[in-house]
Amino acid sequence: MSFGGQDGDFNAFCIQTWQVLANSQNQRDNYALWSLEDYLGSAIHGSDEQWAKETFSEISALFAQTNMVDEDAGSIALGETAETDAAFQLALWAIVNEWEVSDADKLSFSGFGGAVHDDVELWVGETRSAENQVAASLDFYVLSSTTSQNLLVWKTATATEVPLPATLWLMLAGILGVGLIRRF
């Protein structure tokens, strides 16, 4: 499964704050692939199903605000500035770790200043607002490791075939039946 961006780069954000990113090839090769839903619902997070659903919705809503879904849309332009990318990483951590955005000690990167915190507060507030829970058209996965940070990766959602509703089948059967009765 490939998680490269349109430019061929590997796109990922870390979702763990208590583990450092592996720096040797041995450690980087030790990843397991999870769907984001399974990862959030696993024992790693206490298996709280309601929390997992809400967190998945918030992550999806956060990504829906970016240019990752549609390059020409989205108010968050990832990849353009270090400040924007840092704010997005902090917003993602705030969602996964249930941090209040007012907790400036946890939500700060040194050297970026208050603008990053303001962006985080705005974006997380918007994703936690029910009217802004628009899902991103992305499939989310987690590369999980015991020796390195867990990474959130994504790819464009695969289209799934939508089954015809039962009422349509009944209507088609009725039309066919009427046609057969008229014939005889």
Side-chain angles (χ1 to χ4, degrees):
M1 192 172 296
S2 173
F3 297 106
Q6 294 173 342
D7 53 5
D9 290 341
F10 178 72
N11 293 321
F13 282 96
C14 61
I15 54 176
Q16 250 179 335
T17 57
W18 61 89
Q19 183 95 25
V20 297
L21 192 58
N23 59 4
S24 74
Q25 187 64 39
N26 235 5
Q27 292 172 323
R28 287 193 302 259
D29 290 341
N30 192 21
Y31 280 99
L33 181 65
W34 297 57
S35 71
L36 179 59
E37 295 97 332
D38 290 344
Y39 174 79
L40 293 172
S42 71
I44 295 169
H45 295 287
S47 302
D48 181 347
E49 189 174 323
Q50 183 62 28
W51 174 85
K53 283 181 180 180
E54 289 171 6
T55 302
F56 180 85
S57 293
E58 290 174 4
I59 290 171
S60 186
L62 180 65
F63 271 84
Q65 296 179 62
T66 71
N67 58 342
M68 290 293 151
V69 177
D70 179 359
E71 209 171 280
D72 299 325
S75 59
I76 304 171
L78 293 175
E80 289 189 4
T81 68
E83 289 82 3
T84 300
D85 292 350
F88 189 84
Q89 177 66 75
L90 289 170
L92 186 59
W93 282 345
I95 291 169
V96 172
N97 295 291
E98 300 180 277
W99 292 339
E100 293 301 319
V101 292
S102 59
D103 190 351
D105 292 338
K106 290 181 181 172
L107 297 176
S108 64
F109 274 144
S110 61
F112 287 116
V116 167
H117 187 271
D118 293 344
D119 285 345
V120 172
E121 192 169 354
L122 174 70
W123 300 339
V124 172
E126 287 177 356
T127 63
R128 289 182 173 162
S129 169
E131 65 266 8
N132 291 319
Q133 292 267 327
V134 177
S137 56
L138 299 171
D139 289 332
F140 295 103
Y141 300 90
V142 173
L143 292 172
S144 177
S145 173
T146 57
T147 60
S148 184
Q149 286 181 342
N150 294 343
L151 302 173
L152 176 68
V153 294
W154 60 91
K155 64 180 191 150
T156 304
T158 54
T160 56
E161 193 173 311
V162 178
L164 293 176
T167 54
L168 185 58
W169 286 113
L170 287 172
M171 187 175 74
L172 289 173
I175 292 171
L176 183 61
V178 169
L180 288 174
I181 291 174
R182 285 186 152 193
R183 210 158 211 238
F184 295 107

